[in-house]
């Protein structure tokens, strides 16, 4: 074996020991709370990717879309015929389009009832609360209501929350937090959101 191959072998042995140790240390089994936040693109895409992953194993999944419910969504169109998927959509569009606090709050509360039901149902393996961070920010949903529902959810249930400006206490509760960092976004160069790519 030449020098380079030997060095490679040594570094792979080290890596294996490191990974083995981490695997051995991960003993706990339970559902997770994941948050995909930050200004970069990819939060909702990552959530739907995980939905697809869970459906692939035959698990039941609930997706609740806050705010952007009236938007087209390719993943939803593709997956909604799966009997294991339930999608609940907020019946109002963009809040800066409706500009009506009362109707937005009512729409949020209505869709929250579906979310609360999913969060109490142990047959639902994964619940996605897409863009729910804005509901807290605008005061359409109070944090304590969400916190209680998350704390009391079934032990095996995983929840994914997406949206910018995630509540500080929510971030502290989460097992996994990923912040999508915007390095660049095409929109800022005047390029339109693209069908099948951005929605
Ligand atoms: P995606 O749905 O593509 O995963 P996202 O969930 O991370 O995006 P949102 O803030 O929910 O981001 O934005 C929804 C829409 O805005 C999508 O069409 C997305 O491509 C686009 N978008 C995401 N990030 C940015 C950005 N930094 N500037 C402009 N548009 C953005
Ligand atoms: Mg999104």
């Amino acid at each position: 074996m030449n020098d380079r191959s030997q060095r490679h072998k040594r570094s792979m042995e080290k890596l294996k020991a490191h990974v083995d140790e981490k695997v051995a240390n991960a003993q706990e089994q339970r559902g997770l709370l994941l948050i995909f936040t930050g200004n970069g693109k990819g939060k909702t895409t990552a959530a739907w990717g995980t939905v697809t992953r869970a459906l692939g194993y035959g698990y039941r999944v609930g997706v609740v879309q806050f705010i952007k419910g009236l938007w087209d969504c390719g993943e939803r169109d593709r997956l909604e015929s799966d009997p294991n998927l339930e999608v609940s959509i907020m019946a109002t569009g963009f809040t800066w389009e409706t500009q009506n606090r009362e109707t937005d709050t009512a729409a949020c509360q209505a869709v929250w009832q579906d979310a609360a039901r999913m969060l109490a149902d142990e047959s639902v393996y994964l619940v996605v609360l897409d863009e729910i961070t804005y509901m807290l920010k605008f005061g359409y949903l109070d944090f304590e209501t969400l916190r209680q529902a998350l704390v009391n959810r079934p032990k095996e249930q995983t929840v994914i929350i997406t949206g910018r400006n995630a509540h500080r206490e929510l971030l502290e509760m989460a097992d996994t937090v990923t912040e999508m960092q915007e390095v660049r976004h095409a929109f800022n160069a005047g390029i339109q959101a693209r069908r099948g790519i951005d929605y």
Side-chain angles (χ1 to χ4, degrees):
M1 218 188 285
N2 64 27
D3 254 20
R4 193 170 168 201
S5 301
Q6 253 169 10
R7 274 204 311 277
H8 177 78
K9 186 169 186 294
R10 269 202 303 276
S11 99
M12 285 302 123
E13 280 165 359
K14 254 187 159 160
L15 181 61
K16 179 175 160 38
H18 180 67
V19 173
D20 286 351
E21 192 192 330
K22 282 199 142 176
V23 171
N25 282 341
Q27 293 287 351
E28 201 180 345
Q29 276 199 48
R30 61 171 171 81
L32 303 169
L33 175 60
L34 298 93
I35 300 182
F36 301 151
T37 189
N39 289 331
K41 171 178 165 60
K43 301 175 286 292
T44 298
T45 318
W48 277 111
T50 313
V51 168
T52 310
R53 185 174 277 183
L55 289 172
Y57 289 98
Y59 291 120
R60 288 192 62 208
V61 178
V63 176
V64 185
Q65 292 184 307
F66 294 87
I67 290 203
K68 291 193 180 132
L70 291 186
W71 266 30
D72 290 335
C73 173
E75 297 100 322
R76 192 177 64 214
D77 292 351
R78 179 67 178 79
L79 298 171
E80 72 184 353
S81 60
D82 190 316
N84 284 322
L85 176 66
E86 178 185 350
V87 181
S88 175
I89 303 172
M90 191 163 152
T92 180
F94 280 99
T95 178
W96 47 93
E97 277 178 5
T98 56
Q99 294 171 354
N100 184 327
R101 213 186 127 69
E102 283 69 39
T103 54
D104 280 357
T105 304
C108 171
Q109 290 296 323
V111 87
W112 168 253
Q113 299 310 312
D114 286 337
R117 174 177 41 78
M118 293 169 186
L119 291 168
D121 183 348
E122 64 178 2
S123 76
V124 182
Y125 187 78
L126 169 64
V127 178
V128 173
L129 305 172
D130 190 35
E131 324 289 357
I132 198 173
T133 57
Y134 307 103
M135 300 299 102
L136 302 172
K137 205 171 152 54
F138 300 149
Y140 299 166
L141 178 70
D142 74 6
F143 174 69
E144 189 51 28
T145 305
L146 175 62
R147 195 189 68 79
Q148 290 272 340
L150 290 172
V151 167
N152 295 323
R153 78 185 195 278
K155 184 171 180 278
E156 296 295 326
Q157 188 182 75
T158 289
V159 176
I160 298 178
I161 285 178
T162 81
R164 299 169 195 210
N165 307 107
H167 195 286
R168 187 181 49 79
E169 277 178 73
L170 193 58
L171 289 172
E172 279 165 18
M173 289 171 71
D175 300 292
T176 297
V177 179
T178 301
E179 183 162 338
M180 271 63 177
Q181 194 197 338
E182 182 186 330
V183 174
R184 184 176 304 134
H185 198 287
F187 185 70
N188 296 325
I191 304 169
Q192 274 185 16
R194 197 147 177 87
R195 193 168 184 239
I197 307 296
D198 287 306
Y199 58 90

